[in-house]
C-alpha cells in the first residue's frame, strides 16, 4: 500500500486523555480516509506519494460547527447590542429581504468557510436561504457541510411564494443527494415563524429523504410565552405533540427548557446544538447544558451566524461555553474542557449522525484533521494530553485537511482564492453601506 499523504513528526493526544501527548507519531491517508496512525517506528517501511512534515505539531480531529448561517458574514457588526426580537424584526429580516440573493450567499458563505477553516473547523451544519449556493461554496472550498435549506412561512429569499417552500426544499435535497462532502437537509426556522402545518410538512420531507431536520427551539423567554399563547404548550412540547422529535431532529439553542422538556428530548433521542456566544450577545439566556448531558442527550456546539456572534471560531466558542457554565452554576467543575472538546468533535458528529465517519482520528475515519502549532509562548508548557482549551486560539491552527485533501497549509488556504472572495464580499458590503 502506498498512502497518498503521510503526516510525519506529529504529536497525538492519548486516547484516554490521562497520559502526556505522544510525540514523534505519524498518520497515513489513503483517498479520503485515515489508513494508519501511531508511533513513527511503525511507519518505517511506508513510502507515501506526499509527505507533510508536522514539525512536532499537535494533530487533532477537525472541529464540527453544529449551527451556522454562513452567508450572514455580510451582516457581521451590522446591528449589534440589540434584543433578539428587535435585531431580527427590525434589522436582520429586512436586510435579508433586500440583500440575500444567490451571489451574496455564494461569496459570503465562501468567506465564512475560510474563517472556519482558519480556526480548525472541518464540518459545518449550515441553514439558510438560497442554500444551493452555500452548498456550492462549501463544496468548492473543500469544507464538509450539512447544508439545510431554510423553510419559513413568509416570502423568503429565493422563495417569494411561501406556498412553494416545501417543493423548493425538496428540489434542493434531490440536487445534492450524492455529493461526497455535502449532506443536504431541511431547516425550519422556528416554531414562531412556521405554522404547525409547515413544520409537519418540512419534517415529513426530511424523513422521506432520510436526512436531518433542524429548528431554532426555545431560544428566548419571549418565545416561550409566544408559543404558550398560540399553541398552549412549551416549544419542545409543541414540536413533540406534532410528532417532530426523533433522532433525525436537531433543536438549536434550547435555552429555555423545563424538566419535562428535557425528559422529552432525552426520550425521543432528538439532538441539541447550543450556541453560547450568540445567546450571550443577544442576552437570550444560558442553555441547561449539564442537565442535557446528565440525561444522555446528544449535544453539539455551534457559532450561529456572524451577525449574532460575531465570529465563526469554534475554539473561542468552546472556551466561552465552559466559562459561562462555570459562572452561571458558580461551579468551576460544571462543564470541563474535555466535555466541550467532545461536543465539538465526536459528540457533534453524533448529533449530525456522522459519528461513524468523522469526529476522531482513527483508522477508517475520514481524514478531517487540524495541526496545531504548540511552539508559541502561550501554549508552553503542555501538561495534559488534550486540546489545551483555555490557552489555544484559532490562529494556532496551522494546517487543515478535509476528506484527505489539504485545504490549508501553514495558514495559507490552498483550496480556493481567498483574496477574490474577500474582494467580492467587500463589493457586496459596499451596497449595504450605501443603503444605511
Ligand atoms: Zn441560528
Amino acid at each position: 500500500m502506498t498512502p497518498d499523504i503521510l503526516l510525519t513528526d506529529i504529536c497525538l493526544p492519548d486516547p484516554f486523555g490521562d497520559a502526556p501527548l505522544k510525540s514523534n507519531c505519524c498518520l497515513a491517508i489513503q483517498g479520503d480516509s485515515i489508513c494508519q496512525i501511531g508511533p513513527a517506528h511503525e511507519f518505517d517501511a511506508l513510502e507515501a506519494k506526499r509527505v507533510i512534515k508536522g514539525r512536532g505539531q499537535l494533530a487533532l480531529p477537525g472541529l464540527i460547527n453544529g449551527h451556522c448561517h454562513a452567508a450572514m458574514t455580510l451582516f457581521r457588526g451590522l446591528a449589534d447590542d440589540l434584543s433578539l426580537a428587535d435585531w431580527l424584526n427590525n434589522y436582520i429580516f429586512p436586510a435579508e429581504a433586500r440583500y440575500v440573493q444567490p451571489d451574496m450567499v455564494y461569496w459570503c458563505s465562501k468567506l465564512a468557510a475560510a474563517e472556519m477553516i482558519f480556526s480548525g473547523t472541518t464540518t459545518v451544519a449550515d441553514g439558510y436561504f438560497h442554500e444551493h449556493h452555500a452548498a456550492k461554496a462549501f463544496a468548492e472550498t473543500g469544507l464538509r457541510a450539512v447544508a439545510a435549506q431554510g423553510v419559513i412561512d413568509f416570502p423568503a429569499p429565493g422563495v417569494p411564494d411561501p406556498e412553494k417552500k416545501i417543493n423548493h426544499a425538496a428540489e434542493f435535497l434531490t440536487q445534492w443527494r450524492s455529493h461526497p462532502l455535502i449532506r443536504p437537509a431541511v431547516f425550519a426556522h422556528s416554531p414562531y415563524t412556521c405554522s404547525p402545518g409547515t413544520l409537519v410538512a418540512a419534517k415529513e420531507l426530511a424523513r422521506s429523504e432520510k436526512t436531518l431536520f433542524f429548528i431554532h427551539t426555545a431560544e428566548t423567554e419571549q418565545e416561550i410565552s409566544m408559543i404558550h399563547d398560540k399553541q398552549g404548550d412549551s416549544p419542545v412540547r409543541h414540536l413533540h405533540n406534532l410528532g417532530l422529535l426523533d433522532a433525525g431532529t436537531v433543536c438549536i439553542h434550547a435555552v429555555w427548557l423545563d424538566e419535562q422538556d428535557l425528559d422529552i428530548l432525552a426520550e425521543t433521542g432528538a439532538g441539541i446544538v447550543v450556541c453560547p456566544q450568540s445567546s450571550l450577545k443577544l442576552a437570550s439566556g444560558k442553555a441547561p447544558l449539564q442537565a442535557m448531558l446528565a440525561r444522555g442527550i446528544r449535544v453539539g456546539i455551534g457559532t450561529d451566524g456572524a451577525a449574532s456572534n460575531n465570529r465563526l471560531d469554534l475554539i473561542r466558542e468552546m472556551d466561552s461555553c465552559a466559562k459561562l457554565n462555570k459562572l452561571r452554576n458558580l461551579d468551576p467543575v460544571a462543564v470541563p474542557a474535555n466535555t466541550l472538546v467532545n461536543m465539538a468533535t465526536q459528540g457533534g458528529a453524533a448529533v449530525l449522525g456522522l459519528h461513524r465517519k468523522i469526529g476522531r482520528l482513527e483508522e477508517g475515519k475520514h481524514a478531517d484533521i487540524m495541526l496545531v502549532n504548540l511552539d508559541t509562548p502561550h501554549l508552553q508548557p503542555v501538561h495534559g494530553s488534550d486540546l489545551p482549551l483555555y490557552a489555544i486560539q484559532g490562529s494556532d491552527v496551522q494546517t487543515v485537511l478535509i476528506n484527505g485533501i489539504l485545504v490549508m497549509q501553514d495558514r495559507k488556504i490552498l483550496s480556493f482564492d481567498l483574496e477574490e472572495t474577500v474582494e467580492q464580499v467587500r463589493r457586496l458590503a459596499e451596497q449595504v453601506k450605501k443603503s444605511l
Side-chain angles (χ1 to χ4, degrees):
M1 182 197 67
T2 308
D4 294 315
I5 296 177
L6 181 65
L7 303 179
T8 61
D9 189 20
I10 52 172
C11 290
L12 290 173
D14 169 65
F16 304 104
D18 49 12
L21 291 176
K22 292 184 287 180
S23 59
N24 199 20
C25 291
C26 289
L27 186 154
I29 298 166
Q30 182 81 50
D32 59 13
S33 301
I34 297 168
C35 61
Q36 194 181 337
I37 180 166
H41 67 83
E42 293 176 6
F43 291 73
D44 284 347
L46 209 64
E47 278 198 26
K49 290 176 192 158
R50 180 175 188 180
V51 174
I52 297 170
K53 290 177 184 163
R55 303 190 305 272
Q57 294 177 69
L58 174 63
L60 291 164
L63 303 176
I64 297 164
N65 185 349
H67 181 60
C68 190
H69 313 290
M72 292 184 85
T73 46
L74 185 67
F75 306 133
R76 192 195 318 259
L78 179 69
D80 291 335
D81 306 323
L82 299 168
S83 73
L84 177 72
D86 192 12
W87 176 78
L88 209 51
N89 295 318
N90 300 324
Y91 295 87
I92 296 302
F93 284 156
E96 285 182 330
R98 195 156 173 191
Y99 299 110
V100 178
Q101 32 79 19
D103 193 35
M104 174 271 184
V105 172
Y106 173 77
W107 289 112
C108 297
S109 297
K110 245 181 166 173
L111 182 75
E115 186 180 351
M116 287 189 264
I117 290 167
F118 267 115
S119 48
T121 290
T122 52
T123 296
V124 62
D126 190 63
Y128 211 51
F129 305 105
H130 287 303
E131 190 66 16
H132 168 73
H133 300 277
K136 190 167 169 273
F138 298 141
E140 286 178 18
T141 61
L143 185 66
R144 190 184 300 285
V146 178
Q149 169 63 32
V151 168
I152 202 162
D153 273 343
F154 46 79
V159 196
D161 178 2
E163 292 291 312
K164 297 195 173 135
K165 57 190 179 277
I166 302 296
N167 288 347
H168 191 83
E171 279 166 27
F172 170 73
L173 295 183
T174 308
Q175 214 164 352
W176 288 91
R177 197 178 271 157
S178 53
H179 194 281
L181 279 179
I182 309 297
R183 187 180 181 199
V186 180
F187 162 53
H189 180 267
S190 68
Y192 60 92
T193 51
C194 294
S195 69
T198 299
L199 293 174
V200 169
K203 177 64 187 177
E204 279 309 308
L205 173 64
R207 271 196 186 119
S208 69
E209 289 287 325
K210 296 186 174 50
T211 194
L212 294 172
F213 171 82
F214 295 87
I215 181 162
H216 291 137
T217 310
E219 182 176 1
T220 61
E221 200 170 18
Q222 191 188 7
E223 176 185 337
I224 302 299
S225 47
M226 213 188 312
I227 300 300
H228 258 288
D229 290 349
K230 247 182 158 174
Q231 312 295 348
D233 229 327
S234 73
V236 167
R237 291 194 284 280
H238 172 52
L239 299 184
H240 186 46
N241 295 340
L242 293 172
L244 307 187
L245 298 180
D246 60 24
T249 291
V250 182
C251 296
I252 313 297
H253 298 299
V255 169
W256 293 86
L257 304 181
D258 59 27
E259 293 291 313
Q260 201 188 342
D261 291 334
L262 284 159
D263 289 341
I264 289 170
L265 289 163
E267 280 160 23
T268 56
I272 292 175
V273 173
V274 295
C275 304
Q277 292 267 355
S278 174
S279 296
L280 273 164
K281 184 169 175 243
L282 294 163
S284 307
K286 185 195 80 69
L289 184 54
Q290 278 177 294
M292 293 170 185
L293 296 170
R295 281 169 171 82
I297 298 171
R298 291 169 301 141
V299 190
I301 181 166
T303 56
D304 214 349
S308 65
N309 187 309
N310 299 356
R311 294 278 305 278
L312 307 179
D313 178 346
L314 215 54
I315 289 174
R316 185 173 174 255
E317 202 71 39
M318 287 191 279
D319 181 89
S320 301
C321 189
K323 290 170 183 168
L324 172 65
N325 277 280
K326 291 174 195 303
L327 179 68
R328 281 297 301 272
N329 295 302
L330 294 178
D331 177 6
V333 298
V335 182
N338 282 355
T339 303
L340 266 309
V341 175
N342 180 64
M343 284 164 59
T345 52
Q346 50 186 321
V351 173
L352 302 181
L354 296 172
H355 49 291
R356 286 185 194 86
K357 294 179 177 173
I358 57 170
R360 288 175 69 93
L361 295 188
E362 58 187 30
E363 287 165 26
K365 290 267 195 301
H366 284 321
D368 289 10
I369 303 161
M370 63 166 161
L371 295 183
V372 176
N373 177 24
L374 297 172
D375 197 17
T376 60
H378 63 272
L379 287 179
Q380 289 297 326
V382 178
H383 292 296
S385 160
D386 290 309
L387 180 81
L389 182 61
Y390 304 124
I392 192 176
Q393 56 197 27
S395 55
D396 295 323
V397 178
Q398 294 295 301
T399 293
V400 172
L401 294 105
I402 306 174
N403 216 34
I405 306 286
L406 192 60
V407 295
M408 179 174 87
Q409 187 169 27
D410 296 327
R411 296 203 63 74
K412 186 168 172 27
I413 295 272
L414 305 178
S415 51
F416 67 105
D417 188 340
L418 178 59
E419 223 168 278
E420 181 195 18
T421 303
V422 171
E423 267 172 37
Q424 291 288 348
V425 174
R426 282 196 185 128
R427 171 184 64 80
L428 291 158
E430 276 304 313
Q431 296 165 14
V432 178
K433 224 180 270 172
K434 273 180 203 156
S435 70
L436 286 175

